[in-house]
Amino acid sequence: MSDKLKQQEITIWLNSQDDLSSNLKSAFIDHAIDNRGVLTSTRKADDVASALCSALEKFLDDPTDLIVVSAVAMQFAEQGMSMITGQALMMVLGQTAVSDSGIMGLINQFQLAFLQNLASARELNHHRVQERSQMALQRALHTQLEQQILLHDNEKQRNEHLNQILQLNTRLNQLNNEESLLEEAVYGIYRSLSLTEVSIYGYSETTSQWTKKESTLSNFDDSQKITPSLL
Amino acid sequence: MFEQNGYIMPKPSPTTPNTSVFLDTSLPNTARIFDYLAGGNANFQADRQAAEAMLKLLPSLRKWVRLRRAFIQEAAYRLYEEGFRQFLDLGSGMPADDQIHAFAPEARVLYSDINPVAVSYGNSLFGDLDHVDYIRGNATEIEELVSSSAVKKLIYPNEKVAIGLNGLVLFLTPEENKNLAQYLYNWASDNSKLFLVFQTHGAIQNMAAYETFLEIASSAFLPIRLYTLEENLDMMHPWKPSLLEPITTFLGLPEDFIKKEDREGIEMAFYAVILEK
């Protein structure tokens, strides 16, 4: 068959495929929820059918140009088309009535090229998502490790404080005058617990007031009084 | 199986969150199992094996999961077209590129889930986006969740908000659902909307079949409860339906898309629901 005659056959065949676009749309709609991304929406059926018909037409016009097939397959993969949807669409092409074995052969080539490209593009996508998944896990593990270190440090510091308080208690037991006792108590607690300020107040029942007895503050005023409600 | 306030309830689930279990990829994780069922790639062999085991018990599960995902995307698209510019999504599950923010490109979107793997993955995926965040939160402690700094940053109190409750209602008790709906109603601005799928059961003529279904779901690590359409609407009170239709209609799918076997012998049905304040 001459090229010109063959082209005429292809044109006649394409023009006779009234149902092709609507069959592609139906196949897409049946599998839309199996896709990801924008192709989950059945509203995309028209776009998909139209893009496929156009690619098929261009491919039949020049079967040596496989770029048009790979471009449409990669675009669909990027938009989230699943293999099952791709297969369903290619089955529609396989079910078209073709009497000419030459055209059938070209359609088979198109199906094969489309599915191969769809699979390859999906594979790349798959690796990208898997990498992100691994990174997320590593980040979660890192966070957990940091929390464990923080917990360990806090526990260590707490033990140190408890030890210092035990030592302070021993020192306080050995003191027998009030002034030294109070002074050692405030400075001992101040150092042991790394506090900003430590003061000891005494409460007078006659005046109903608290009076500061000892403090780590340098400008300590022993006449400073506060009411109980402030404590 | 026991009855509580007129609802048939499954046995309480012994699932207690444990961070180290979540991080161990040799153990199945619910978020990753559902990612696999939805056709995602953020899952591991243990998740896939668990999902396949679940599918043996509940063959329609894959379809439920995918219908729900398609609903979320379509609802996000329609709500965005309607003018919603902020979304709060509860029980978001494993994050993906094609979640709400992909269909509402200029909106502020806050995802949340109790599953730390999902949250960690969300932070990794959305870390570079100013208008999208993913936080850990428990829908049964909604007050704490909406008080978080992330909610305050992304969800403006005087602006209507679209709230996704997908995949939650089935896992909560009627009381928890009612409390959640009421709290969100009080919290959200006027004209705010809830969007969710009601997965319902029909009139239970064969109680044994229904109990068997719940037992199977529970043994497939899905301690779910199904409610009737009326019970679902009652639990979401005082939100009012602005859209309520079969999910196939909402998604533009063929009428016979949900087959008899998908109804699992209990007349299970799926409704696309948008409720408004």
Side-chain angles (χ1 to χ4, degrees), chain B residues 1-2 8-11 54 56-59 64 201 204-226 263-266 268:
Chain B
M1 205 71 56
F2 65 98
I8 304 293
M9 309 294 285
K11 286 177 200 157
M54 288 161 82
K56 278 186 187 156
L57 293 167
L58 285 174
W64 304 355
H201 68 71
I204 300 176
Q205 283 152 3
N206 181 353
M207 183 55 79
Y210 180 58
E211 289 186 354
T212 304
F213 168 79
L214 291 187
E215 292 288 358
I216 288 171
S218 193
S219 60
F221 305 105
L222 290 171
I224 56 171
R225 305 150 176 90
L226 289 188
R263 302 194 185 278
E264 299 288 350
I266 57 165
M268 192 158 64

Coordinates of all heavy atoms in Angstrom, one line a residue, chain B residues 1-2 8-11 54 56-59 64 201 204-226 263-266 268:
Chain B
M1 N -19.8 -6.6 71.2 CA -20.8 -5.7 70.7 C -21.8 -5.3 71.8 O -22.1 -6.2 72.6 CB -21.6 -6.5 69.6 CG -22.3 -5.6 68.6 SD -21.1 -4.8 67.5 CE -20.3 -6.3 66.8
F2 N -22.1 -4.0 72.0 CA -23.0 -3.6 73.0 C -23.8 -2.4 72.5 O -23.5 -1.8 71.5 CB -22.3 -3.3 74.3 CG -21.4 -2.1 74.2 CD1 -21.8 -0.9 74.7 CD2 -20.1 -2.2 73.7 CE1 -21.0 0.2 74.6 CE2 -19.3 -1.1 73.6 CZ -19.7 0.1 74.1
I8 N -25.7 0.7 68.2 CA -24.9 -0.6 68.3 C -23.5 -0.3 68.2 O -23.0 0.3 67.2 CB -25.3 -1.6 67.2 CG1 -26.8 -1.8 67.2 CG2 -24.5 -2.9 67.3 CD1 -27.3 -2.5 68.4
M9 N -22.7 -0.6 69.2 CA -21.3 -0.2 69.2 C -20.4 -1.4 69.2 O -20.7 -2.4 69.8 CB -21.0 0.6 70.6 CG -22.0 1.7 70.9 SD -21.9 3.0 69.7 CE -20.3 3.7 70.2
P10 N -19.2 -1.2 68.5 CA -18.2 -2.3 68.6 C -17.5 -2.2 69.9 O -17.6 -1.3 70.7 CB -17.3 -2.0 67.5 CG -17.4 -0.5 67.3 CD -18.7 -0.1 67.7
K11 N -16.7 -3.3 70.2 CA -16.0 -3.3 71.5 C -14.9 -2.2 71.4 O -14.4 -1.9 70.3 CB -15.2 -4.6 71.6 CG -16.1 -5.8 72.0 CD -15.3 -7.0 72.1 CE -16.3 -8.2 72.0 NZ -15.6 -9.4 71.5
M54 N -6.6 -6.7 55.2 CA -7.9 -6.0 55.5 C -8.8 -6.1 54.3 O -10.0 -6.3 54.4 CB -7.6 -4.5 55.7 CG -7.0 -4.2 57.1 SD -6.2 -2.6 57.1 CE -7.6 -1.6 57.5
K56 N -9.0 -8.6 52.3 CA -9.6 -9.9 52.2 C -10.8 -10.0 53.1 O -11.8 -10.6 52.8 CB -8.6 -11.0 52.7 CG -7.6 -11.4 51.7 CD -6.7 -12.5 52.1 CE -5.6 -12.7 51.1 NZ -4.4 -13.3 51.6
L57 N -10.8 -9.2 54.2 CA -12.0 -9.2 55.1 C -13.0 -8.2 54.6 O -14.2 -8.5 54.7 CB -11.5 -8.8 56.5 CG -10.6 -9.8 57.2 CD1 -10.0 -9.1 58.4 CD2 -11.4 -11.0 57.7
L58 N -12.6 -7.1 54.0 CA -13.5 -6.1 53.6 C -13.1 -5.6 52.2 O -12.4 -4.6 52.0 CB -13.4 -4.8 54.5 CG -14.1 -4.9 55.8 CD1 -13.8 -3.6 56.6 CD2 -15.6 -5.0 55.7
P59 N -13.5 -6.4 51.2 CA -13.1 -6.1 49.8 C -13.5 -4.7 49.3 O -12.8 -4.2 48.4 CB -13.8 -7.2 49.0 CG -14.1 -8.3 49.9 CD -14.4 -7.6 51.2
W64 N -14.0 2.5 49.2 CA -14.4 3.5 50.2 C -13.4 4.6 50.3 O -13.7 5.8 50.3 CB -14.6 2.9 51.6 CG -15.4 1.8 51.9 CD1 -16.3 1.1 51.1 CD2 -15.5 1.1 53.2 NE1 -16.9 0.1 51.8 CE2 -16.4 0.1 53.1 CE3 -14.9 1.3 54.4 CZ2 -16.8 -0.8 54.1 CZ3 -15.2 0.5 55.5 CH2 -16.1 -0.5 55.3
H201 N -25.3 2.9 57.2 CA -26.0 1.6 56.9 C -27.5 1.9 56.8 O -28.0 2.9 57.3 CB -25.6 0.6 58.1 CG -26.2 1.0 59.4 ND1 -27.6 0.9 59.7 CD2 -25.7 1.4 60.6 CE1 -27.8 1.2 60.9 NE2 -26.7 1.6 61.5
I204 N -31.5 -2.1 59.4 CA -30.9 -3.4 59.8 C -31.9 -4.4 59.9 O -32.6 -4.5 61.0 CB -30.0 -3.2 61.0 CG1 -28.9 -2.2 60.8 CG2 -29.3 -4.6 61.4 CD1 -28.0 -1.9 62.0
Q205 N -32.1 -5.2 58.9 CA -33.1 -6.3 59.0 C -32.4 -7.5 59.6 O -33.1 -8.4 60.2 CB -33.7 -6.6 57.6 CG -34.7 -5.5 57.3 CD -34.9 -5.3 55.8 OE1 -34.2 -6.0 55.0 NE2 -35.7 -4.4 55.4
N206 N -31.1 -7.7 59.3 CA -30.4 -8.8 59.8 C -29.3 -8.3 60.8 O -28.2 -8.0 60.4 CB -29.8 -9.6 58.7 CG -29.1 -10.8 59.1 OD1 -28.9 -11.1 60.3 ND2 -28.7 -11.6 58.1
M207 N -29.7 -8.3 62.1 CA -28.7 -7.7 63.1 C -27.5 -8.6 63.1 O -26.4 -8.0 63.3 CB -29.4 -7.7 64.4 CG -28.6 -7.1 65.5 SD -28.0 -5.4 65.2 CE -29.5 -4.5 65.5
A208 N -27.6 -9.8 62.9 CA -26.4 -10.7 63.0 C -25.4 -10.3 61.9 O -24.2 -10.3 62.1 CB -26.8 -12.2 62.8
A209 N -26.0 -10.0 60.7 CA -25.1 -9.6 59.5 C -24.4 -8.3 59.9 O -23.2 -8.1 59.6 CB -25.9 -9.4 58.3
Y210 N -25.1 -7.4 60.5 CA -24.5 -6.1 60.8 C -23.4 -6.3 61.9 O -22.3 -5.7 61.8 CB -25.6 -5.1 61.4 CG -25.0 -3.8 61.7 CD1 -24.3 -3.0 60.8 CD2 -25.2 -3.3 63.0 CE1 -23.8 -1.8 61.1 CE2 -24.6 -2.0 63.4 CZ -24.0 -1.3 62.4 OH -23.4 -0.1 62.8
E211 N -23.7 -7.1 62.9 CA -22.7 -7.3 63.9 C -21.5 -8.0 63.4 O -20.4 -7.7 63.7 CB -23.3 -8.2 65.1 CG -24.3 -7.4 65.9 CD -24.9 -8.2 67.1 OE1 -24.5 -9.4 67.2 OE2 -25.6 -7.6 67.9
T212 N -21.7 -8.9 62.4 CA -20.6 -9.6 61.8 C -19.7 -8.6 61.0 O -18.5 -8.6 61.1 CB -21.1 -10.7 60.8 OG1 -21.9 -11.6 61.5 CG2 -20.0 -11.5 60.2
F213 N -20.4 -7.7 60.4 CA -19.7 -6.6 59.6 C -18.8 -5.8 60.6 O -17.6 -5.6 60.3 CB -20.6 -5.7 58.9 CG -20.0 -4.5 58.4 CD1 -19.3 -4.5 57.2 CD2 -20.0 -3.3 59.0 CE1 -18.6 -3.4 56.7 CE2 -19.4 -2.1 58.6 CZ -18.7 -2.2 57.4
L214 N -19.3 -5.4 61.7 CA -18.5 -4.6 62.6 C -17.4 -5.4 63.2 O -16.3 -4.9 63.4 CB -19.4 -4.1 63.8 CG -20.5 -3.0 63.4 CD1 -21.1 -2.4 64.7 CD2 -19.9 -1.8 62.6
E215 N -17.7 -6.7 63.5 CA -16.6 -7.5 64.0 C -15.5 -7.7 63.0 O -14.3 -7.6 63.3 CB -17.1 -9.0 64.3 CG -18.1 -9.0 65.5 CD -17.4 -8.8 66.9 OE1 -16.2 -8.7 66.9 OE2 -18.2 -8.7 67.9
I216 N -15.9 -7.9 61.7 CA -14.9 -8.0 60.6 C -14.0 -6.7 60.5 O -12.8 -6.7 60.5 CB -15.5 -8.3 59.3 CG1 -16.1 -9.8 59.3 CG2 -14.6 -8.2 58.1 CD1 -16.9 -10.1 58.1
A217 N -14.8 -5.6 60.5 CA -14.1 -4.3 60.5 C -13.1 -4.1 61.6 O -11.9 -3.7 61.5 CB -15.1 -3.2 60.4
S218 N -13.6 -4.5 62.8 CA -12.7 -4.4 64.0 C -11.5 -5.3 63.9 O -10.4 -4.9 64.2 CB -13.5 -4.7 65.2 OG -12.9 -4.4 66.4
S219 N -11.7 -6.5 63.4 CA -10.6 -7.4 63.3 C -9.6 -7.0 62.2 O -8.5 -7.4 62.1 CB -11.0 -8.9 63.0 OG -11.8 -8.9 61.8
A220 N -10.1 -6.1 61.3 CA -9.2 -5.5 60.3 C -8.7 -4.2 60.7 O -8.3 -3.3 59.9 CB -10.0 -5.3 59.0
F221 N -8.6 -4.1 62.1 CA -8.0 -2.9 62.7 C -8.8 -1.6 62.4 O -8.3 -0.5 62.4 CB -6.5 -2.6 62.3 CG -5.7 -3.8 62.6 CD1 -5.2 -4.7 61.6 CD2 -5.3 -4.2 63.9 CE1 -4.5 -5.8 61.9 CE2 -4.5 -5.3 64.2 CZ -4.1 -6.1 63.2
L222 N -10.1 -1.8 62.1 CA -11.0 -0.6 61.9 C -12.1 -0.6 62.9 O -13.2 -1.1 62.6 CB -11.5 -0.6 60.5 CG -10.5 -0.4 59.3 CD1 -11.2 -0.6 58.0 CD2 -10.0 1.1 59.4
P223 N -11.9 -0.1 64.1 CA -12.9 -0.2 65.1 C -14.0 0.9 64.8 O -14.1 1.9 65.5 CB -12.2 0.1 66.4 CG -11.0 0.9 66.0 CD -10.6 0.5 64.6
I224 N -14.7 0.7 63.7 CA -15.6 1.8 63.2 C -17.0 1.5 63.7 O -17.4 0.4 64.1 CB -15.6 1.9 61.7 CG1 -16.0 0.6 61.1 CG2 -14.3 2.4 61.2 CD1 -16.2 0.6 59.6
R225 N -17.8 2.6 63.6 CA -19.2 2.5 63.9 C -19.9 3.1 62.7 O -19.5 4.2 62.3 CB -19.6 3.3 65.1 CG -18.8 3.0 66.4 CD -18.7 4.2 67.3 NE -18.0 3.9 68.5 CZ -16.7 3.9 68.7 NH1 -15.9 4.3 67.7 NH2 -16.1 3.6 69.8
L226 N -20.9 2.4 62.2 CA -21.7 3.0 61.1 C -23.0 3.5 61.7 O -23.6 2.9 62.6 CB -22.0 2.0 60.0 CG -20.8 1.5 59.2 CD1 -21.3 0.7 58.0 CD2 -20.1 2.7 58.6
R263 N -21.8 -2.9 49.3 CA -22.7 -2.5 50.4 C -22.6 -3.5 51.5 O -23.3 -3.4 52.6 CB -24.2 -2.4 49.9 CG -24.3 -1.4 48.8 CD -25.7 -1.0 48.5 NE -25.8 -0.1 47.3 CZ -25.6 1.2 47.4 NH1 -25.3 1.8 48.5 NH2 -25.7 1.9 46.3
E264 N -21.7 -4.5 51.4 CA -21.4 -5.5 52.5 C -22.6 -6.1 53.2 O -22.5 -6.4 54.4 CB -20.4 -4.8 53.5 CG -19.1 -4.2 52.9 CD -18.1 -5.3 52.5 OE1 -18.4 -6.5 52.9 OE2 -17.1 -5.0 51.9
G265 N -23.7 -6.2 52.5 CA -24.8 -6.9 53.1 C -25.6 -6.1 54.1 O -26.5 -6.6 54.8
I266 N -25.2 -4.8 54.3 CA -25.9 -4.0 55.3 C -26.4 -2.7 54.7 O -26.6 -1.7 55.4 CB -25.0 -3.7 56.5 CG1 -23.7 -3.0 56.0 CG2 -24.6 -4.9 57.3 CD1 -22.9 -2.3 57.1
M268 N -24.9 -0.5 53.0 CA -24.0 0.6 53.2 C -24.1 1.6 52.0 O -24.2 1.2 50.9 CB -22.6 0.1 53.3 CG -21.6 1.1 53.9 SD -20.2 0.3 54.6 CE -19.5 -0.5 53.2

